[in-house]
Structures are given as C-alpha cells and as structure tokens.
Amino acid sequence: MSAPTILVAGATGNTGRNTVRTLSRLVQSSPALSSHKILALTRSAGGPVAQELARLPGVLVVEKNWATVTAPWLREHRVRRAFIAGAAQPAHFAEESGFQLAALRAGVEYVVRISTMVHNVSPDCAAYYARQHWAVEALLGSPEFAALRWTSLQPNAFSALVLSSAVQFVRTFRETGEQGALSLMSDEHAPVGVIDADDIGELAAHLLVQDDIDAHNHAKYVVNGPEDITGRQIVDLVEREIGTKVNEVLYRDVSFVEQMASASPDAAHLIVTIKCALEPNWEGKATAATTSKEVLAIAAPKRTPRDTFEALLQL
C-alpha cells in the first residue's frame, strides 16, 4: 500500500512552491508524519520550478490540474492533508468547492487554503473574487462539511504584486536611463503590511504538520508581513536604487485592472470590480499589527518589503 500523502495543489504557484520546500524539510523531522510523502500538483511538470521541487526529499511532482481532482483520486493516493491556493478567476468558487467536496468525501483530515484580505471576505464586497472566498469559507463552515477540518489564511496584500511596478521602473531606468511615471497601487501615506508569498508558504507548511489540527479547525488567520510600507516609502526604495529623484508618481493607480479586463472581454464586467479590493489598504486597515497572534506563534513572517524588492530586482 502506498504511503499516506500531503497534497499541495498549485505546487509551482507563488505560495505553493515554498509550501512544498518547507514541507519537505518539516516532514522529515516529524515523528508523526515522517512516513508521509508530499504530492506536488502542477500543470507543467517540465518547468524549472517543478523540476527543482522534484529533487527535494519526499516530494513527488505530478502533472495534473487540481480542479479535476476527484474523491476516488484522493483515496487512491491516500491524501490525508492538503493545501490549496485557488486563482482569482470567475470559475474559482465552482472549482474550489468541487475540490473541497472531493476532500470531504475522500476522508481528507485537514485542508489549509489561501483566502484574501479579511476586510473583503464578506457577501457584500464589491470585488467579485472576494465574495467567492466568502462563499468557500461559508461552505466549509456548514454542518455538511463538519468532518473536514480546515484553516483559511487571509493575506492583506502580496508584496510582489504591490512592488512589481516599482521593480519594473528600476529595470527600465537601468536599461534606458529614462523615466516614465511611476505607477503605484498604494496610497501615498497609508501603511500596509505587505506579505511575501514565501512566508505564506512557510506558514501553510507549518500548519499542515501540526500534531493538533483541531486547534486550527475553522480558523481564519490574518497574515501580514513584519513591516508596513507606504507608497511614499516605495518611492524611497526606487530612488535609492536609481540614484535620483522620481519625477512623477501616480498613487492609487488601478489602471492595471483595466488591462486585465481588456484581455478577458467575457469576464471584463467581473474583473473591473477588483479595483474596489484595494480600498481597505488605502484606508489604513491592513497594517502589520493586524496579523493574528497564532500566525506569529506558528511561523512569524520575516521577509520585509525591502527584502522582497531586492530579491525581485535580482530575477
């Protein structure tokens, strides 16, 4: 009979990859889970990240779309615990609810999932994808799902996304010596505790190897990075890198959402609502101080905005 398994759905995604890396290390040193293997699902097993993960101890990379996972497949692979980070797409609720239903029917013990900013996880949030996260959490909290234990992680803002335009600005300046406008989704003055995706993955892995998963059942943990950053401080990072003043800055710029919408005309009416998702950040509601105390005790995030910024510049 095959070994019991911890499943990572979306293993080569921005949070999944460090979930796998950290699990590989933690499972080896866990008396209770040392016999478990780590099953890393990806849409492309031939990619460089997938190949890196495949070389880790105890990891098996499988090319499979997690949305097609069924209860018989989970039972066949003896999946006991699972991680999932669904993409912000119109089909998200249908796909993740199907995955969670399969986990329930297969007798999976515990699922750790990625949600979104706590202030947006509500039935009346204007941003469509946030309502989907609310719906998944409501489904998991229903009596029908009582046998499936779960934890939902609610990151306020991913640092790579918040800093991406600043990184591109620096790269362009280095290549051309010219400046355009620096477009930032951040407010100039509102502090936000942006979180590095690797820190999310590390936290998820530590939860998945907990001896007492009942202590985290139905938990919704707010996750931020260790330090706040404002739009003005992002400009400071850029100016230190380029050695001169940035001539023009556009704060609270969500024009990238329009670009996303134009690329998906059938779903444009949904995608444009993403603009509303940043309002709690602009209102100062997403500071590092709001991180759940359980997160700090289990695997406190440690990568600062500057750490992420400098790492992105090296890519």
Side-chain angles (χ1 to χ4, degrees):
M1 182 177 291
S2 62
T5 298
I6 301 174
L7 175 69
V8 178
T12 53
N14 64 343
T15 55
R17 62 186 68 183
N18 206 43
T19 302
V20 176
R21 293 177 187 131
T22 308
L23 276 173
S24 176
R25 184 181 76 249
L26 295 178
V27 165
Q28 292 180 78
S29 60
S30 169
L33 299 174
S34 58
S35 64
H36 287 56
K37 69 174 184 289
I38 301 155
L39 190 58
L41 295 192
T42 177
R43 293 173 186 259
S44 178
V49 175
Q51 292 179 355
E52 174 218 330
L53 297 179
R55 292 191 289 268
L56 295 174
V59 175
L60 175 64
V61 173
V62 173
E63 189 167 288
K64 184 176 180 62
N65 180 352
W66 64 260
T68 66
V69 164
T70 62
W73 187 92
L74 291 169
R75 284 193 292 267
E76 176 188 350
H77 290 85
R78 298 191 65 200
V79 174
R80 297 292 180 263
R81 301 182 181 191
F83 167 84
I84 181 170
Q89 299 292 338
H92 172 207
F93 176 77
E95 292 181 342
E96 187 178 345
S97 63
F99 178 92
Q100 301 287 4
L101 180 60
L104 173 70
R105 291 178 172 174
V108 173
E109 297 173 346
Y110 181 47
V111 175
V112 176
R113 66 178 301 274
I114 303 297
S115 183
T116 191
M117 182 188 303
V118 59
H119 299 288
N120 287 339
V121 184
S122 66
D124 61 347
C125 182
Y128 85 95
Y129 75 92
R131 295 194 303 274
Q132 292 180 319
H133 281 295
W134 171 83
V136 171
E137 291 180 358
L139 174 137
L140 290 171
S142 67
E144 292 82 356
F145 275 77
L148 178 62
R149 288 167 285 187
W150 57 276
T151 300
S152 201
L153 304 181
Q154 300 177 326
N156 280 327
F158 283 99
S159 50
L161 177 61
V162 171
L163 297 169
S164 60
S165 60
V167 170
Q168 187 56 50
F169 185 94
V170 173
R171 288 174 178 164
T172 300
F173 183 84
R174 287 174 174 175
E175 293 170 2
T176 68
E178 298 178 356
Q179 291 191 31
L182 173 55
S183 170
L184 299 175
M185 65 180 71
S186 302
D187 179 81
E188 182 176 4
H189 304 293
V192 179
V194 294
I195 179 76
D196 190 286
D198 280 353
D199 280 336
I200 291 278
E202 187 162 344
L203 171 62
H206 276 84
L207 281 165
L208 286 165
V209 300
Q210 292 289 304
D211 291 333
D212 183 13
I213 55 178
D214 285 328
H216 307 287
N217 188 24
H218 287 214
K220 303 172 187 178
Y221 293 145
V222 176
V223 190
N224 301 290
E227 293 181 5
D228 294 324
I229 192 167
T230 66
R232 179 61 246 181
Q233 289 171 326
I234 296 174
V235 176
D236 291 341
L237 289 177
V238 171
E239 290 179 341
R240 278 195 289 268
E241 286 295 328
I242 66 175
T244 189
K245 181 179 176 58
V246 174
N247 295 329
E248 182 183 5
V249 184
L250 304 176
Y251 295 106
R252 297 194 181 193
D253 186 359
V254 290
S255 58
F256 70 95
V257 177
E258 296 288 350
Q259 297 169 11
M260 292 168 56
S262 64
S264 303
D266 291 343
H269 61 295
L270 295 175
I271 293 172
V272 294
T273 66
I274 294 175
K275 293 179 181 180
C276 305
L278 290 167
E279 291 174 0
N281 283 357
W282 298 340
E283 295 166 359
K285 295 179 178 178
T287 64
T290 64
T291 298
S292 297
K293 65 181 186 303
E294 293 86 353
V295 170
L296 300 177
I298 296 167
K302 54 184 179 293
R303 294 167 180 85
T304 67
R306 184 164 190 167
D307 291 336
T308 303
F309 183 71
E310 292 176 350
L312 291 172
L313 284 173
Q314 300 302 315
L315 296 179

